[in-house]
Short mmCIF file of all heavy atoms in Angstrom, two decimals:
data_model
loop_
_atom_site.label_atom_id
_atom_site.label_comp_id
_atom_site.label_asym_id
_atom_site.label_seq_id
_atom_site.Cartn_x
_atom_site.Cartn_y
_atom_site.Cartn_z
N MET N 30 0.81 -1.21 -0.03
CA MET N 30 0.00 0.01 0.00
C MET N 30 0.94 1.27 0.02
O MET N 30 1.89 1.25 0.67
CB MET N 30 -0.91 -0.03 1.23
CG MET N 30 -1.82 1.19 1.24
SD MET N 30 -2.82 1.29 2.71
CE MET N 30 -3.98 -0.10 2.35
N VAL N 31 0.52 2.19 -0.82
CA VAL N 31 1.24 3.40 -0.91
C VAL N 31 0.26 4.63 -0.82
O VAL N 31 -0.89 4.54 -1.38
CB VAL N 31 1.96 3.56 -2.22
CG1 VAL N 31 2.65 4.87 -2.35
CG2 VAL N 31 2.97 2.34 -2.40
N SER N 32 0.64 5.61 -0.09
CA SER N 32 -0.26 6.73 -0.05
C SER N 32 0.56 7.96 -0.60
O SER N 32 1.74 7.95 -0.62
CB SER N 32 -0.82 7.14 1.33
OG SER N 32 0.33 7.51 2.18
N GLU N 33 -0.09 8.96 -1.03
CA GLU N 33 0.60 10.15 -1.60
C GLU N 33 0.24 11.34 -0.79
O GLU N 33 -0.65 12.20 -1.10
CB GLU N 33 0.05 10.32 -3.03
CG GLU N 33 1.04 11.08 -3.93
CD GLU N 33 0.57 12.57 -4.02
OE1 GLU N 33 -0.52 12.95 -4.09
OE2 GLU N 33 1.62 13.40 -4.14
N PRO N 34 0.80 11.46 0.40
CA PRO N 34 0.52 12.50 1.38
C PRO N 34 0.52 13.94 0.85
O PRO N 34 -0.30 14.80 1.32
CB PRO N 34 1.47 12.30 2.56
CG PRO N 34 1.98 10.94 2.37
CD PRO N 34 1.82 10.62 0.93
N PRO N 35 1.49 14.31 0.01
CA PRO N 35 1.60 15.68 -0.44
C PRO N 35 0.43 16.12 -1.27
O PRO N 35 0.14 17.33 -1.41
CB PRO N 35 2.92 15.73 -1.13
CG PRO N 35 3.65 14.64 -0.75
CD PRO N 35 2.72 13.58 -0.40
N ARG N 36 -0.31 15.18 -1.82
CA ARG N 36 -1.48 15.36 -2.69
C ARG N 36 -1.14 16.50 -3.79
O ARG N 36 -1.90 17.40 -3.96
CB ARG N 36 -2.65 15.74 -1.91
CG ARG N 36 -3.21 14.58 -1.11
CD ARG N 36 -4.38 14.95 -0.29
NE ARG N 36 -5.00 13.93 0.43
CZ ARG N 36 -4.52 13.07 1.34
NH1 ARG N 36 -3.17 13.21 1.65
NH2 ARG N 36 -5.20 12.21 1.85
N THR N 37 -0.05 16.29 -4.49
CA THR N 37 0.37 17.18 -5.45
C THR N 37 -0.44 16.97 -6.78
O THR N 37 -0.52 17.88 -7.63
CB THR N 37 1.82 17.06 -5.85
OG1 THR N 37 2.00 15.69 -6.40
CG2 THR N 37 2.74 17.28 -4.68
N GLY N 38 -1.07 15.80 -6.98
CA GLY N 38 -1.75 15.51 -8.25
C GLY N 38 -0.76 15.04 -9.30
O GLY N 38 -1.23 14.60 -10.36
N GLN N 39 0.54 15.04 -9.01
CA GLN N 39 1.54 14.54 -10.00
C GLN N 39 1.60 13.05 -9.96
O GLN N 39 1.42 12.40 -8.96
CB GLN N 39 2.85 15.09 -9.57
CG GLN N 39 3.05 16.61 -9.71
CD GLN N 39 2.74 17.06 -11.09
OE1 GLN N 39 3.37 16.59 -12.04
NE2 GLN N 39 1.82 18.08 -11.29
N PRO N 40 1.83 12.38 -11.05
CA PRO N 40 2.00 10.99 -11.17
C PRO N 40 3.04 10.45 -10.16
O PRO N 40 4.07 11.08 -10.02
CB PRO N 40 2.38 10.55 -12.55
CG PRO N 40 1.86 11.85 -13.34
CD PRO N 40 2.08 12.97 -12.41
N LEU N 41 2.86 9.29 -9.66
CA LEU N 41 3.74 8.65 -8.64
C LEU N 41 4.35 7.46 -9.39
O LEU N 41 3.69 6.64 -10.02
CB LEU N 41 2.99 8.17 -7.44
CG LEU N 41 3.73 7.34 -6.45
CD1 LEU N 41 4.81 8.13 -5.77
CD2 LEU N 41 2.79 6.77 -5.46
N GLU N 42 5.67 7.31 -9.37
CA GLU N 42 6.40 6.22 -10.10
C GLU N 42 6.83 5.22 -9.10
O GLU N 42 7.57 5.62 -8.05
CB GLU N 42 7.38 6.72 -11.02
CG GLU N 42 7.78 5.74 -12.11
CD GLU N 42 8.40 6.34 -13.32
OE1 GLU N 42 7.75 7.21 -13.99
OE2 GLU N 42 9.48 5.95 -13.60
N LEU N 43 6.60 3.95 -9.24
CA LEU N 43 7.05 2.89 -8.36
C LEU N 43 7.87 1.93 -9.22
O LEU N 43 7.56 1.61 -10.29
CB LEU N 43 5.89 2.19 -7.80
CG LEU N 43 4.91 2.95 -6.89
CD1 LEU N 43 3.69 2.06 -6.59
CD2 LEU N 43 5.60 3.46 -5.73
N VAL N 44 8.93 1.38 -8.56
CA VAL N 44 9.76 0.36 -9.21
C VAL N 44 9.81 -0.89 -8.32
O VAL N 44 10.07 -0.80 -7.10
CB VAL N 44 11.17 0.83 -9.47
CG1 VAL N 44 12.04 -0.28 -10.09
CG2 VAL N 44 11.18 2.08 -10.44
N ARG N 45 9.57 -1.96 -8.93
CA ARG N 45 9.76 -3.29 -8.15
C ARG N 45 10.85 -4.01 -8.86
O ARG N 45 10.79 -4.35 -10.07
CB ARG N 45 8.44 -4.18 -8.35
CG ARG N 45 8.62 -5.48 -7.53
CD ARG N 45 7.63 -6.55 -8.11
NE ARG N 45 7.89 -7.74 -7.41
CZ ARG N 45 8.68 -8.77 -7.73
NH1 ARG N 45 9.50 -8.55 -8.88
NH2 ARG N 45 8.90 -9.90 -7.09
N ARG N 46 11.89 -4.29 -8.12
CA ARG N 46 13.03 -4.97 -8.62
C ARG N 46 12.82 -6.46 -8.52
O ARG N 46 12.37 -6.99 -7.58
CB ARG N 46 14.29 -4.48 -7.83
CG ARG N 46 14.49 -3.06 -7.91
CD ARG N 46 16.02 -2.64 -7.74
NE ARG N 46 16.19 -1.26 -7.50
CZ ARG N 46 15.97 -0.25 -8.44
NH1 ARG N 46 15.55 -0.67 -9.59
NH2 ARG N 46 16.24 1.03 -8.15
N GLY N 47 13.07 -7.14 -9.60
CA GLY N 47 12.76 -8.51 -9.68
C GLY N 47 12.01 -8.83 -10.87
O GLY N 47 11.34 -7.91 -11.39
N PRO N 48 12.16 -10.08 -11.49
CA PRO N 48 11.48 -10.35 -12.80
C PRO N 48 9.93 -10.32 -12.69
O PRO N 48 9.47 -10.64 -11.68
CB PRO N 48 12.02 -11.68 -13.11
CG PRO N 48 12.50 -12.23 -11.86
CD PRO N 48 12.96 -11.10 -10.90
N VAL N 49 9.37 -9.80 -13.69
CA VAL N 49 7.92 -9.77 -13.83
C VAL N 49 7.63 -10.44 -15.21
O VAL N 49 8.09 -9.93 -16.22
CB VAL N 49 7.36 -8.34 -13.85
CG1 VAL N 49 5.84 -8.34 -14.15
CG2 VAL N 49 7.64 -7.71 -12.51
N ARG N 50 6.87 -11.45 -15.21
CA ARG N 50 6.61 -12.20 -16.47
C ARG N 50 5.66 -11.43 -17.40
O ARG N 50 5.94 -11.26 -18.59
CB ARG N 50 6.01 -13.56 -16.09
CG ARG N 50 5.96 -14.54 -17.30
CD ARG N 50 5.44 -15.84 -16.72
NE ARG N 50 5.17 -16.82 -17.90
CZ ARG N 50 6.07 -17.60 -18.38
NH1 ARG N 50 7.29 -17.66 -17.86
NH2 ARG N 50 5.72 -18.35 -19.41
N ARG N 51 4.51 -10.89 -16.86
CA ARG N 51 3.66 -9.99 -17.57
C ARG N 51 2.58 -9.47 -16.68
O ARG N 51 2.30 -9.87 -15.62
CB ARG N 51 3.02 -10.77 -18.73
CG ARG N 51 2.05 -11.87 -18.24
CD ARG N 51 1.48 -12.69 -19.50
NE ARG N 51 0.87 -13.95 -19.01
CZ ARG N 51 -0.45 -14.14 -19.09
NH1 ARG N 51 -1.23 -13.26 -19.65
NH2 ARG N 51 -0.92 -15.24 -18.72
N MET N 52 1.89 -8.45 -17.30
CA MET N 52 0.80 -7.81 -16.67
C MET N 52 -0.45 -8.62 -16.98
O MET N 52 -0.71 -9.04 -18.06
CB MET N 52 0.63 -6.42 -17.19
CG MET N 52 1.64 -5.36 -16.89
SD MET N 52 1.73 -4.98 -15.14
CE MET N 52 0.15 -4.38 -14.77
N LEU N 53 -1.26 -8.81 -15.97
CA LEU N 53 -2.58 -9.50 -16.16
C LEU N 53 -3.74 -8.50 -16.21
O LEU N 53 -4.68 -8.75 -17.00
CB LEU N 53 -2.85 -10.42 -14.95
CG LEU N 53 -1.73 -11.51 -14.85
CD1 LEU N 53 -1.99 -12.38 -13.61
CD2 LEU N 53 -1.67 -12.41 -16.06
N ALA N 54 -3.66 -7.46 -15.47
CA ALA N 54 -4.74 -6.50 -15.38
C ALA N 54 -4.26 -5.17 -14.82
O ALA N 54 -3.34 -5.19 -13.99
CB ALA N 54 -5.94 -7.03 -14.67
N GLN N 55 -4.86 -4.05 -15.19
CA GLN N 55 -4.48 -2.85 -14.53
C GLN N 55 -5.63 -1.77 -14.74
O GLN N 55 -6.39 -1.94 -15.70
CB GLN N 55 -3.24 -2.27 -15.23
CG GLN N 55 -3.47 -1.79 -16.64
CD GLN N 55 -2.14 -1.79 -17.34
OE1 GLN N 55 -1.49 -2.76 -17.59
NE2 GLN N 55 -1.78 -0.59 -17.81
N ASP N 56 -5.78 -0.92 -13.71
CA ASP N 56 -6.71 0.21 -13.82
C ASP N 56 -6.26 1.22 -14.80
O ASP N 56 -5.10 1.27 -15.11
CB ASP N 56 -6.94 0.82 -12.47
CG ASP N 56 -7.63 0.05 -11.47
OD1 ASP N 56 -8.31 -0.95 -11.87
OD2 ASP N 56 -7.64 0.42 -10.25
N PRO N 57 -7.16 2.01 -15.42
CA PRO N 57 -6.71 3.03 -16.39
C PRO N 57 -5.80 3.99 -15.80
O PRO N 57 -4.97 4.61 -16.54
CB PRO N 57 -8.13 3.65 -16.74
CG PRO N 57 -9.11 2.63 -16.48
CD PRO N 57 -8.66 1.93 -15.25
N SER N 58 -5.71 4.23 -14.55
CA SER N 58 -4.86 5.16 -13.87
C SER N 58 -3.47 4.70 -13.66
O SER N 58 -2.59 5.31 -13.22
CB SER N 58 -5.42 5.58 -12.52
OG SER N 58 -5.56 4.51 -11.78
N VAL N 59 -3.22 3.35 -14.03
CA VAL N 59 -1.89 2.75 -13.82
C VAL N 59 -1.26 2.49 -15.33
O VAL N 59 -1.74 1.66 -15.97
CB VAL N 59 -2.08 1.40 -13.09
CG1 VAL N 59 -0.69 0.79 -12.93
CG2 VAL N 59 -2.75 1.57 -11.75
N GLU N 60 -0.19 3.07 -15.50
CA GLU N 60 0.60 3.00 -16.67
C GLU N 60 1.73 2.07 -16.33
O GLU N 60 2.22 2.06 -15.32
CB GLU N 60 1.24 4.27 -17.23
CG GLU N 60 0.17 5.26 -17.67
CD GLU N 60 0.89 6.60 -18.14
OE1 GLU N 60 1.76 6.52 -18.94
OE2 GLU N 60 0.59 7.59 -17.51
N VAL N 61 2.10 1.27 -17.35
CA VAL N 61 3.31 0.27 -17.13
C VAL N 61 4.39 0.54 -18.15
O VAL N 61 4.36 -0.05 -19.27
CB VAL N 61 2.72 -1.10 -17.30
CG1 VAL N 61 3.87 -2.17 -16.92
CG2 VAL N 61 1.52 -1.35 -16.37
N PRO N 62 5.29 1.50 -17.83
CA PRO N 62 6.37 1.72 -18.83
C PRO N 62 7.36 0.67 -19.05
O PRO N 62 7.96 0.60 -20.11
CB PRO N 62 7.09 3.00 -18.15
CG PRO N 62 6.14 3.47 -17.11
CD PRO N 62 5.36 2.31 -16.70
N ALA N 63 7.45 -0.23 -18.04
CA ALA N 63 8.46 -1.38 -18.28
C ALA N 63 8.12 -2.60 -17.47
O ALA N 63 7.62 -2.45 -16.37
CB ALA N 63 9.89 -0.88 -17.87
N THR N 64 8.38 -3.75 -18.07
CA THR N 64 8.24 -5.03 -17.37
C THR N 64 9.50 -5.75 -17.78
O THR N 64 10.33 -5.36 -18.59
CB THR N 64 7.04 -5.86 -17.74
OG1 THR N 64 7.09 -6.14 -19.09
CG2 THR N 64 5.78 -5.15 -17.34
N GLY N 65 9.70 -7.05 -17.20
CA GLY N 65 10.94 -7.82 -17.57
C GLY N 65 11.75 -7.98 -16.28
O GLY N 65 11.23 -8.58 -15.33
N ALA N 66 12.96 -7.45 -16.33
CA ALA N 66 13.90 -7.61 -15.12
C ALA N 66 13.35 -6.92 -13.88
O ALA N 66 13.72 -7.30 -12.80
CB ALA N 66 15.32 -7.22 -15.49
N SER N 67 12.63 -5.89 -14.15
CA SER N 67 11.99 -5.14 -13.11
C SER N 67 10.64 -4.57 -13.63
O SER N 67 10.32 -4.59 -14.86
CB SER N 67 12.89 -3.94 -12.57
OG SER N 67 13.06 -3.03 -13.55
N LEU N 68 9.74 -4.07 -12.75
CA LEU N 68 8.44 -3.55 -13.07
C LEU N 68 8.51 -2.11 -12.71
O LEU N 68 8.85 -1.65 -11.55
CB LEU N 68 7.42 -4.32 -12.34
CG LEU N 68 5.98 -3.66 -12.45
CD1 LEU N 68 5.36 -3.86 -13.87
CD2 LEU N 68 5.07 -4.38 -11.38
N ARG N 69 8.13 -1.24 -13.64
CA ARG N 69 7.89 0.21 -13.28
C ARG N 69 6.46 0.58 -13.58
O ARG N 69 5.86 0.19 -14.56
CB ARG N 69 8.72 1.02 -14.30
CG ARG N 69 10.03 1.60 -13.78
CD ARG N 69 10.70 2.60 -14.63
NE ARG N 69 9.86 3.21 -15.56
CZ ARG N 69 10.25 3.87 -16.71
NH1 ARG N 69 11.57 3.77 -16.96
NH2 ARG N 69 9.48 4.42 -17.51
N LEU N 70 5.86 1.22 -12.58
CA LEU N 70 4.48 1.64 -12.60
C LEU N 70 4.40 3.16 -12.47
O LEU N 70 5.19 3.78 -11.70
CB LEU N 70 3.68 1.03 -11.58
CG LEU N 70 3.60 -0.49 -11.44
CD1 LEU N 70 2.84 -0.83 -10.23
CD2 LEU N 70 2.87 -1.06 -12.75
N ARG N 71 3.48 3.80 -13.31
CA ARG N 71 3.32 5.24 -13.10
C ARG N 71 1.76 5.30 -12.77
O ARG N 71 0.93 5.00 -13.58
CB ARG N 71 3.64 5.96 -14.30
CG ARG N 71 3.47 7.48 -14.20
CD ARG N 71 3.97 8.20 -15.51
NE ARG N 71 5.34 7.84 -15.68
CZ ARG N 71 5.67 7.38 -16.99
NH1 ARG N 71 4.89 7.20 -17.83
NH2 ARG N 71 7.01 7.17 -17.15
N ILE N 72 1.49 5.85 -11.49
CA ILE N 72 0.13 5.89 -11.09
C ILE N 72 -0.31 7.37 -11.08
O ILE N 72 0.36 8.23 -10.46
CB ILE N 72 -0.02 5.30 -9.74
CG1 ILE N 72 0.47 3.86 -9.78
CG2 ILE N 72 -1.44 5.40 -9.26
CD1 ILE N 72 0.79 3.15 -8.53
N THR N 73 -1.40 7.64 -11.85
CA THR N 73 -1.93 9.07 -11.79
C THR N 73 -2.96 9.11 -10.71
O THR N 73 -3.98 8.36 -10.78
CB THR N 73 -2.57 9.38 -13.16
OG1 THR N 73 -1.60 9.17 -14.19
CG2 THR N 73 -2.96 10.80 -13.22
N PRO N 74 -2.79 9.99 -9.69
CA PRO N 74 -3.65 10.03 -8.58
C PRO N 74 -4.92 10.53 -9.09
O PRO N 74 -5.19 11.24 -10.08
CB PRO N 74 -3.00 10.91 -7.59
CG PRO N 74 -1.78 11.57 -8.29
CD PRO N 74 -1.66 10.85 -9.57
N GLY N 75 -5.98 10.10 -8.26
CA GLY N 75 -7.42 10.51 -8.57
C GLY N 75 -8.00 11.29 -7.36
O GLY N 75 -7.27 12.20 -6.78
N THR N 76 -9.11 11.06 -7.00
CA THR N 76 -9.78 11.63 -5.92
C THR N 76 -9.31 11.18 -4.60
O THR N 76 -8.63 10.04 -4.54
CB THR N 76 -11.24 11.46 -5.97
OG1 THR N 76 -11.57 10.06 -5.96
CG2 THR N 76 -11.85 12.11 -7.24
N ALA N 77 -9.40 11.87 -3.50
CA ALA N 77 -9.01 11.42 -2.10
C ALA N 77 -9.53 10.15 -1.96
O ALA N 77 -10.70 9.77 -2.06
CB ALA N 77 -9.52 12.47 -1.13
N GLY N 78 -8.63 9.23 -1.47
CA GLY N 78 -8.97 7.88 -1.07
C GLY N 78 -9.26 6.94 -2.18
O GLY N 78 -9.63 5.77 -1.98
N ALA N 79 -8.83 7.36 -3.43
CA ALA N 79 -8.99 6.39 -4.59
C ALA N 79 -8.09 5.15 -4.51
O ALA N 79 -6.96 5.32 -4.00
CB ALA N 79 -8.74 7.22 -5.91
N THR N 80 -8.46 4.07 -5.04
CA THR N 80 -7.71 2.94 -5.13
C THR N 80 -7.24 2.71 -6.54
O THR N 80 -8.04 2.79 -7.51
CB THR N 80 -8.56 1.77 -4.62
OG1 THR N 80 -8.94 1.95 -3.22
CG2 THR N 80 -7.74 0.47 -4.70
N HIS N 81 -6.06 2.37 -6.76
CA HIS N 81 -5.49 2.06 -8.05
C HIS N 81 -4.92 0.70 -7.98
O HIS N 81 -4.03 0.45 -7.20
CB HIS N 81 -4.40 3.11 -8.45
CG HIS N 81 -4.81 4.53 -8.27
ND1 HIS N 81 -5.64 5.17 -9.23
CD2 HIS N 81 -4.75 5.37 -7.26
CE1 HIS N 81 -5.92 6.41 -8.83
NE2 HIS N 81 -5.43 6.55 -7.57
N ARG N 82 -5.28 -0.19 -8.96
CA ARG N 82 -4.78 -1.61 -8.89
C ARG N 82 -4.05 -2.04 -10.19
O ARG N 82 -4.49 -1.55 -11.25
CB ARG N 82 -5.99 -2.53 -8.50
CG ARG N 82 -6.67 -2.22 -7.29
CD ARG N 82 -7.95 -3.09 -7.23
NE ARG N 82 -8.71 -2.69 -6.02
CZ ARG N 82 -8.99 -3.54 -4.97
NH1 ARG N 82 -8.59 -4.78 -4.98
NH2 ARG N 82 -9.66 -3.04 -4.05
N CYS N 83 -3.30 -3.02 -9.87
CA CYS N 83 -2.78 -3.83 -11.04
C CYS N 83 -2.43 -5.20 -10.65
O CYS N 83 -2.16 -5.38 -9.45
CB CYS N 83 -1.52 -3.08 -11.67
SG CYS N 83 -0.05 -3.18 -10.65
N GLU N 84 -2.39 -6.14 -11.50
CA GLU N 84 -2.12 -7.46 -11.30
C GLU N 84 -1.14 -8.03 -12.10
O GLU N 84 -1.21 -7.85 -13.40
CB GLU N 84 -3.40 -8.31 -11.40
CG GLU N 84 -3.30 -9.81 -11.01
CD GLU N 84 -4.60 -10.56 -11.09
OE1 GLU N 84 -5.73 -9.92 -11.27
OE2 GLU N 84 -4.58 -11.82 -10.95
N VAL N 85 -0.03 -8.67 -11.59
CA VAL N 85 1.08 -9.10 -12.38
C VAL N 85 1.32 -10.55 -12.18
O VAL N 85 1.06 -11.03 -11.21
CB VAL N 85 2.44 -8.25 -12.20
CG1 VAL N 85 2.26 -6.83 -12.44
CG2 VAL N 85 2.82 -8.50 -10.72
N LEU N 86 1.97 -11.17 -13.16
CA LEU N 86 2.40 -12.55 -13.04
C LEU N 86 3.94 -12.54 -12.84
O LEU N 86 4.60 -11.99 -13.70
CB LEU N 86 2.12 -13.38 -14.28
CG LEU N 86 2.52 -14.77 -14.36
CD1 LEU N 86 1.80 -15.64 -13.24
CD2 LEU N 86 2.20 -15.36 -15.71
N LEU N 87 4.37 -12.92 -11.64
CA LEU N 87 5.79 -12.86 -11.31
C LEU N 87 6.55 -14.02 -11.87
O LEU N 87 7.65 -13.83 -12.37
CB LEU N 87 5.93 -12.83 -9.79
CG LEU N 87 5.32 -11.59 -9.11
CD1 LEU N 87 5.47 -11.73 -7.61
CD2 LEU N 87 5.78 -10.34 -9.61
N ARG N 88 5.91 -15.20 -11.97
CA ARG N 88 6.63 -16.35 -12.58
C ARG N 88 5.56 -17.34 -13.11
O ARG N 88 4.37 -17.26 -12.60
CB ARG N 88 7.58 -16.97 -11.55
CG ARG N 88 6.84 -17.49 -10.37
CD ARG N 88 7.86 -18.10 -9.41
NE ARG N 88 7.03 -18.50 -8.18
CZ ARG N 88 7.44 -19.04 -7.22
NH1 ARG N 88 8.72 -19.46 -7.11
NH2 ARG N 88 6.74 -19.33 -6.20
N ALA N 89 5.94 -18.25 -13.83
CA ALA N 89 5.06 -19.29 -14.36
C ALA N 89 4.58 -20.14 -13.16
O ALA N 89 5.28 -20.39 -12.30
CB ALA N 89 5.70 -20.09 -15.35
N GLY N 90 3.29 -20.46 -13.23
CA GLY N 90 2.73 -21.31 -12.26
C GLY N 90 3.07 -22.82 -12.36
O GLY N 90 3.83 -23.01 -13.30
N VAL N 91 2.59 -23.59 -11.41
CA VAL N 91 2.91 -25.00 -11.57
C VAL N 91 2.42 -25.56 -12.84
O VAL N 91 1.30 -25.30 -13.34
CB VAL N 91 2.28 -25.73 -10.36
CG1 VAL N 91 2.45 -27.18 -10.38
CG2 VAL N 91 2.74 -25.21 -9.02
N GLY N 92 3.16 -26.44 -13.51
CA GLY N 92 2.81 -26.96 -14.83
C GLY N 92 2.96 -26.01 -15.95
O GLY N 92 2.58 -26.28 -17.04
N GLY N 93 3.69 -24.84 -15.73
CA GLY N 93 3.99 -23.99 -16.86
C GLY N 93 2.91 -23.03 -17.20
O GLY N 93 2.98 -22.48 -18.27
N HIS N 94 1.84 -22.89 -16.46
CA HIS N 94 0.84 -21.88 -16.70
C HIS N 94 1.20 -20.56 -16.37
O HIS N 94 1.89 -20.22 -15.47
CB HIS N 94 -0.47 -22.33 -15.95
CG HIS N 94 -0.97 -23.66 -16.36
ND1 HIS N 94 -1.60 -23.93 -17.52
CD2 HIS N 94 -0.92 -24.80 -15.67
CE1 HIS N 94 -1.92 -25.16 -17.59
NE2 HIS N 94 -1.47 -25.75 -16.44
#
């Protein structure tokens, strides 16, 4: 969970270090500039208390799915 206390309205960029196989789903407010060796997300804030979600596949599941 991340909050944006300054409430500047500017996009927030997050980086997750570690491989990401692919994006499964994302809200329109979540941009995905990069996947692969790491994941970069750019989240455009909305109204106070808004939730922004994305779902990623970190590795292949059991049986190669």
Side-chain angles (χ1 to χ4, degrees):
M30 180 182 293
V31 175
S32 66
E33 202 262 323
R36 290 179 173 63
T37 63
Q39 296 298 311
L41 174 67
E42 203 158 296
L43 301 173
V44 176
R45 180 203 179 269
R46 300 204 190 295
V49 174
R50 189 172 175 94
R51 67 184 167 111
M52 290 297 298
L53 299 175
Q55 69 201 65
D56 286 347
S58 59
V59 179
E60 293 179 57
V61 186
T64 61
S67 65
L68 172 67
R69 258 188 26 201
L70 300 174
R71 185 175 302 122
I72 302 163
T73 302
T76 59
T80 300
H81 309 277
R82 298 174 189 240
C83 70
E84 186 177 350
V85 298
L86 179 63
L87 299 178
R88 59 181 176 174
V91 177
H94 299 286

